[in-house]
Amino acid sequence: MELKRLLFMLISLLAISLFLVACGSDDSEVEGDADSNSGDGGEATEEAPDFLSILTGGTSGTYYPLGGEMASTITDATGIQTDALSSNASADNVIALQEGEAELAFVQTDVIDNAVNGVNAFEGNKVENVQAIGSLYPETIQIVTTKDSGISSVEDLAGKKVSVGAPGSGTYINAEQILEIHGMTIDDIDAQNLDFGESTGGIQDGNIDAAFITAGTPTGAVEGLGATVDVSIIPIAEEKINDLVEKYPFYAKDTVKKGTYGLEEDVNTVAVLAMLAVTDDVPEDTVYEITKAIYENADSMAHDKASLISLETALDGIGIEVHPGAQKYFDEKGISAE
């Protein structure tokens, strides 16, 4: 009897030992799996890219030189080699982002709004992979001609040779909308698809009469024209500005100040905002660092327009989704859209 009791105790102890070993083995496997899923115990993060490209605009506009300085700032701050590339500007830049040809691009707020909503130039081609980093500075719509051209109003452009921007540019869309508010269409002018440098060169040579130029003022190409001829900027009447803003809220009233290009008085016009867009597949941490680099180092950029890049206005005019990386930075700084 005593032997049976002893044997029973030994079997029970063995069973308990085997159970504890099995439990220990399961715990180890679970812990090992957890470690392999989370790396160092934190959330998995996407790997930062080795290179980034920023699409800008024509070499004689504002986007290209400012984009070059911005690319250098991003490279220095993040360690990611970033290059600024010349392009046909806003609309073409959005398509290039859509097709994965670059990661970052300068665009106008009105153009990106059209793109994500699939309207105007983007009818039937809704762009779904592009998000915002932030606004940069106002872009003034300048209708440029010469003092002796005889053109003093938008209506006077009828029948004239007028540059409406490079094909695919936001300037073209601005020209369409401004003409529309004046009861005109592109067909009412002899439209020329020229970039800024070609536009001012054409005015200087007498090959065209006027040009729509959407860019921060002063614009280099227009300053160059002003060195050889007396520049005139065609004003937009107050009531037409109000009509335009009412129909297209991404516009705002603006002024080309007296003294710019040798102007003798202020000229009323409108502006949209230049902004930086990014594809949604750029990692959140990378976009956070890009956003921080731009808004904390704008004062070290030499271009005149860099002085207008401000954290306080970074979300002005942004009507599309902000990239989570940029949003994280703005949230930390207490910046929200008005």
Side-chain angles (χ1 to χ4, degrees):
M1 195 69 179
E2 192 68 29
L3 181 61
K4 285 183 179 182
R5 185 183 301 169
L6 182 60
L7 183 59
F8 176 79
M9 291 177 61
L10 288 173
I11 292 171
S12 298
L13 288 171
L14 179 61
I16 291 170
S17 299
L18 290 172
F19 176 77
L20 291 174
V21 169
C23 288
S25 176
D26 288 344
D27 287 345
S28 297
E29 288 177 4
V30 171
E31 291 172 3
D33 289 343
D35 287 344
S36 64
N37 288 334
S38 62
D40 294 328
E43 294 181 0
T45 57
E46 296 181 77
E47 186 175 349
D50 294 323
F51 302 97
L52 292 168
S53 294
I54 303 179
L55 298 174
T56 59
T59 56
S60 57
T62 300
Y63 284 179
Y64 183 73
L66 180 58
E69 293 192 40
M70 197 172 289
S72 296
T73 297
I74 294 170
T75 300
D76 293 342
T78 67
I80 301 171
Q81 179 59 46
T82 306
D83 298 315
L85 307 176
S86 178
S87 71
N88 281 335
S90 291
D92 277 6
N93 287 356
V94 175
I95 296 299
L97 292 182
Q98 181 186 40
E99 296 177 353
E101 295 175 5
E103 296 78 30
L104 301 161
F106 281 71
V107 297
Q108 292 172 199
T109 51
D110 55 329
V111 174
I112 196 68
D113 186 87
N114 290 334
V116 299
N117 289 298
V119 298
N120 293 327
F122 296 90
E123 187 76 40
N125 184 29
K126 192 173 182 179
V127 176
E128 299 180 338
N129 69 323
V130 178
Q131 298 175 328
I133 285 183
S135 294
L136 302 173
Y137 61 88
E139 288 195 282
T140 306
I141 288 83
Q142 305 163 76
I143 310 175
V144 182
T145 187
T146 63
K147 278 189 177 180
D148 60 2
S149 68
I151 301 171
S152 59
S153 68
V154 174
E155 289 87 351
D156 288 341
L157 295 173
K160 299 293 196 298
K161 289 185 177 180
V162 182
S163 173
V164 292
S169 71
T171 301
Y172 185 93
I173 297 171
N174 299 147
E176 279 189 315
Q177 292 167 343
I178 289 171
L179 290 172
E180 174 196 348
I181 291 298
H182 289 80
M184 302 166 66
T185 71
I186 292 290
D187 292 336
D188 291 318
I189 62 175
D190 184 359
Q192 309 291 309
N193 297 118
L194 308 174
D195 66 23
F196 295 164
E198 292 168 336
S199 295
T200 53
I203 292 172
Q204 180 179 335
D205 297 338
N207 295 324
I208 64 171
D209 301 297
F212 282 81
I213 292 180
T214 302
T217 57
T219 306
V222 185
E223 286 185 309
L225 177 64
T228 59
V229 300
D230 291 329
V231 168
S232 175
I233 304 295
I234 300 169
I236 301 178
E238 186 78 24
E239 65 271 18
K240 296 299 184 183
I241 291 175
N242 294 337
D243 291 344
L244 185 68
V245 173
E246 182 178 356
K247 184 164 186 178
Y248 302 108
F250 40 73
Y251 283 102
K253 183 178 179 180
D254 199 10
T255 303
V256 182
K257 296 294 185 182
K258 175 183 177 180
T260 308
Y261 316 130
L263 296 175
E264 296 175 356
E265 57 185 21
D266 291 351
V267 177
N268 290 333
T269 184
V270 292
V272 291
L273 286 163
M275 61 168 283
L276 194 64
V278 61
T279 54
D280 59 9
D281 58 354
V282 178
E284 180 177 329
D285 288 348
T286 300
V287 176
Y288 174 91
E289 294 298 334
I290 291 170
T291 309
K292 181 178 181 179
I294 292 169
Y295 289 97
E296 294 188 4
N297 293 283
D299 58 355
S300 66
M301 300 179 198
H303 197 283
D304 289 343
K305 287 301 162 188
S307 64
L308 299 178
I309 299 174
S310 167
L311 187 59
E312 287 69 29
T313 59
L315 294 176
D316 288 0
I318 300 295
I320 68 168
E321 185 177 355
V322 177
H323 191 287
Q327 190 64 60
K328 178 182 176 181
Y329 177 75
F330 296 139
D331 288 346
E332 288 181 358
K333 296 296 182 179
I335 303 299
S336 60
E338 295 184 356

